[in-house]
Amino acid sequence: MRIGYTASKKTGNAVMRNRAKRRLREVARAILPKAGQPGWDYVLVAKPGVTTVRDFALLLADLETALAQIHRAK
């Protein structure tokens, strides 16, 4: 499984972009080992005004919900 992170300049200055990517990395470390699927590539995108200020527990829940939607049986 491969993971990519992106934070555009819309996210803020370099400090804000790095903070957003650090938070996304931590969320991925916590959730993807149990909810991700082998062979998949994931890209986590930092959203302006959300990723750096949203409660960490809510970010975890957001990723869990998104992965459940992506991987549910069709």
Side-chain angles (χ1 to χ4, degrees):
M1 160 174 29
R2 295 184 300 182
I3 308 164
Y5 309 93
T6 184
S8 70
K9 285 191 175 185
K10 291 179 183 178
T11 306
N13 61 13
V15 173
M16 296 300 284
R17 291 192 305 271
N18 287 331
R19 179 178 297 145
K21 287 189 279 186
R22 281 195 309 270
R23 293 189 77 184
L24 291 175
R25 278 196 283 285
E26 285 304 312
V27 168
R29 271 190 206 116
I31 302 297
L32 284 176
K34 59 185 174 189
Q37 291 188 358
W40 281 62
D41 296 337
Y42 298 98
V43 177
L44 302 180
V45 180
K47 293 295 182 183
V50 177
T51 307
T52 56
V53 296
R54 189 159 173 85
D55 185 51
F56 191 73
L58 293 174
L59 283 176
L60 292 170
D62 291 344
L63 184 58
E64 281 182 312
T65 303
L67 289 175
Q69 288 177 354
I70 291 169
H71 296 304
R72 73 175 163 225
K74 292 181 181 179

